[in-house]
Amino acid sequence: MKSKAFKLWKSVALTALAASAVAALTFPAVPARAQDKSPIVIGMLEDTSGGASFYSQLTAGSIKVAIEEINAKGGVLGRPLKLIEESDANNPSQSPALVSRMIQNGAKVILLNSGSASAVASKKTLSEQKIPGLAPTNIDTRIGSAPDQEYSFMLPNPITDIGTIYAEAFKKMGVKTLGVISDDSPTIAGINGLLLPKIQAAGVTIVAQEKAPLDANDVTAQIIRIKEKKPDAVLVCSLGGQLEVLFENTLYQQLRKTPRFSLASIGNQPSTWKLAQPNALDGLVYAASIASNNPRSAALSKLLTAKQGAKFLGLTAYEAQGYDAVQLVKQAIEKAGQDDPTLIKTGLEHLSGYKPSFGSEKFTISFNPGKHIGTDGLCGLVLMQFKGNKPGAPFKTYQAACD
Amino acid sequence: MRQGGSAWVEPIVTLALAIAAMAAVHGSPYLEAVALLTCTYAFIALGMYLPFIMGGALSMAYNAYLGVGAYALALIAGRSDWDLAWSLPIGMLIAAATAVLLGFATRRLSGFYLAAVTLLFGIAFTTWLVDAESVTGGSGGLQGLRVPVFAGRPLSNSTLVMLTILAVWIVALALSRLRNSPFGVAVRARRRAAIAVESCGIPVSTLTLVSLGLGAAVSSVGGSLFAVANHAILPESFAVDLVFLCIFMPLLGGQDRPWGAVLGAILVVTFTFQLTFFKETGSLFFSLAVLLVLVIAPRGVLGYVLIGLQKLWKGTRGGETRHG
Amino acid sequence: MPSQLFVSIVEIGCFFALIALGYLIVLYGAGFFHFALGPYAMFSALGAAYWVTASEWPLWVAVVAGVAAAVALSVVTELLVVRPIEKRVRGEELPSLIAVVATLFAVSQLAGTVFGRKPFPGQPWMDFEDPIEWGEAVIGGQTVIIVGVTLAIFILLAAWLRWSRYGQWLRAVGENQEAARTLGFPVARIRLAAFAVGGLIAGIAGPLFSPKAGVNFESGLSYSLFGFIALVMGGTGSIWAPLAGGLILAALQIAASYLFGSPSLNYATLIAAALFFAFRPEGLFARRVRH
């Protein structure tokens, strides 16, 4: 006679088996063998809700416009491109699993469109599963550098280039002491780790370094601590969004006469400019990437105005780099002749002289097996200065030279 | 009363399920990642089971206990030559000590105060992880952790998954046994009738503190495994909102046995991570499900499954077995 | 300490004070710590911001709608969650605690689903061209409004508790629901009034404070937590105690940030809370028990 307890556990087992059957049904089926007309799947890791969402969604918008444009002209190798998306909410510990999931769902290339830290976290997964990943807008140098960088590529000027440019600008302005205010995201931590030593190596002393959490609602104490050290200039290192607006508002209130610098964030996020108090952004210098003499920037601007209408607030680095990333992937697939990931990676590594829609007119992008950071030179960056709460003119004191 | 032979049913059936799980995820990197995440959550849920479900004390610092175990492992891996196994006792000790301290500060106050002070601690812990850069690596965390050596070779991910699932099984089984031990009975009684327990000569607050400490120690083991699995840790993985999901796991899964906590962990990961239909609304759906359970169905999924099947069995046997 | 920081203390202190006041009202009327008040404030603020930005409603309509939503959420919580659970488990407090924590989480997720997960800027209640300069400090227009509305709410509520029928009943019921029921008080209605008023206060506090730094769906947790600490610090002895508690907590946080750097805010709050819990859980203004 079987005991009651045994029967109970048997029913538990049955329930669990049923549950795992349900779970199995939710897993996607193995993709069918590639046929001539089946789509080439591109995965996009993005941020739809976290600290990086301010720029991630700008990039995602132009990526989708680029894919639409390509598909309208017949696709790549006669096949349409299909985009699948996963959001990691700017949490790098989620990124590897989400990248794995997209690969499981058939992605042959991954566009890394979340924060820098997410891209860094994904490198190992990409190299283990031999799927190439391209980061259109992340500036953390580690993305394109060893270790684990065999399948990992980045498009923009890395933060070390911004460091070089700012160091030169500070030298020209006679800035000897700097105050730095940052947010506490892993992306900015990584970036500061690469940026600040470069500035210090050029002879600038950092006299104050303050941090604020991403959800801070008051930064007066931090700004006053910086104020008391009387720096020659202040640098704001932030992902952008509301927190940077709060930084700038408070800096304007407390340190109006001190020159202010930002990274590439707020200057490239037009939706945040109206959140600042009147005139609070006046004089702020930031690293833009759109030069007025680049015809491809103008062409892309027109395309996005047509496709996105009122949502398009003006071309920034983010949209341009997203668009260019898709074009580079397209060329790599064409070089490969098929959607095999390793061949696509090799295809990327043999792209050179690509003329992007950001940076100066003569600026080019190229990769090779030892160079996974796309920029050829510093003039992918343009220093711009705010006038009132809108970008004004290029920063007169210093600009990076194009060689 | 249970018959002698049935004492083996629970371990055997659950071990069979564990082995089935190992087989199901073997070979797919994505499924292995999901399994590891589920096991981490299961450790927190099991860590909560003892003080919370059994003892009725709601500590909300579980992100910190998890983090302690994780950072203990990461620091040992990154900064010393010690065997990585040392992170387990070190993490457990620190986590338990913290839990006891927080419990002690609020021992004479209602449960709301314990919840508040432990939540504050959880927040302060995350702040400290970002702040104490020289120790914890700051917001960048700790990367490139060395892989542990197991049976002479570097530990592969697949082996790690199997060991982790096995570890969950062992801990859940241990808690199940503990539940029926004199200690466990006393802890459970404290929840319903503290006065009765006191009058038996067992000091209630000591009981609570011990169960809080043990629960924290269990969770810190999960943290160490999490760090090993990811080869890197970031403060963001230990944010306070982790705690909310973790409270709900044992409730949804079923309060009657620790296996409910494990089932709850599987449900959480499935709903918030796996089921693409739910995607962003997964957490909302999940929290509403929890409210529903609390108001209408307090015994959770496992509880009702067991009751339902009990009734079915009783019906077909014509009332021979005793209801209980 | 520079005078600008005092402005910050007043702003933040008023916000904490309002949330703590909401807690106090629900404590008086239902003997219950309404941990979900923070998300109600967040829901109201986020809703108002969303309706102004995305739906292009006029500000006042959006704020009123936000407040109404907060009241509705609070009342629904009492009717569908707290009351049934308390009825089922007389005496045991853990299920209600878990339930209100679950509600906190559910309301946050609801806001995230309905309004999206991105942060929204708050909408200032009035446009001030030139902020007021007071010595070295700059006082923005919204700051004046925060202080004004906070004082108005406290004064109105003090009057309500003293002179209105429901207000007097609220004070009488306090934590002894059974005794009140035996004496013939309409306990169910009083509880409902308490929850509604608590939701109302939180609903106003949210949009009041959000212009300072915006709001997102996860803001509610810290609102709830710091409001609770402010209540504990102030004590339950007087209607004005939450104001004291709120200002003290804000002063503690800002002073810690200024003196020791930004992370100390959370350390200081934890230590202060632990000390208060361990040594003076009845707060500064304790309720005197009549013998």
Side-chain angles (χ1 to χ4, degrees), chain C residues 9 15 89 95 115 117-118 121 141 175 213 229 257 273 283:
Chain C
I9 291 175
F15 179 66
V89 275
F115 303 124
R117 278 147 205 271
K118 284 211 277 224
E175 292 169 47
I229 304 296
S257 291

Side-chain angles (χ1 to χ4, degrees), chain B residues 233-309:
Chain B
I233 45 172
L234 282 163
E236 251 144 31
S237 312
F238 308 104
V240 148
D241 32 326
L242 185 65
V243 180
F244 289 100
L245 289 178
C246 299
I247 299 177
F248 303 150
M249 289 190 287
L251 292 175
L252 255 195
Q255 297 187 40
D256 288 346
R257 284 158 227 270
W259 306 106
V262 178
L263 180 61
I266 297 174
L267 287 172
V268 165
V269 174
T270 308
F271 276 114
T272 63
F273 196 64
Q274 181 53 351
L275 287 179
T276 46
F277 168 67
F278 287 103
K279 266 259 173 150
E280 294 214 323
T281 61
S283 296
L284 172 65
F285 176 84
F286 185 58
S287 56
L288 291 176
V290 168
L291 277 173
L292 213 69
V293 163
L294 287 171
V295 177
I296 300 176
R299 302 191 63 163
V301 171
L302 191 65
Y304 285 99
V305 165
L306 289 180
I307 288 179
L309 294 159

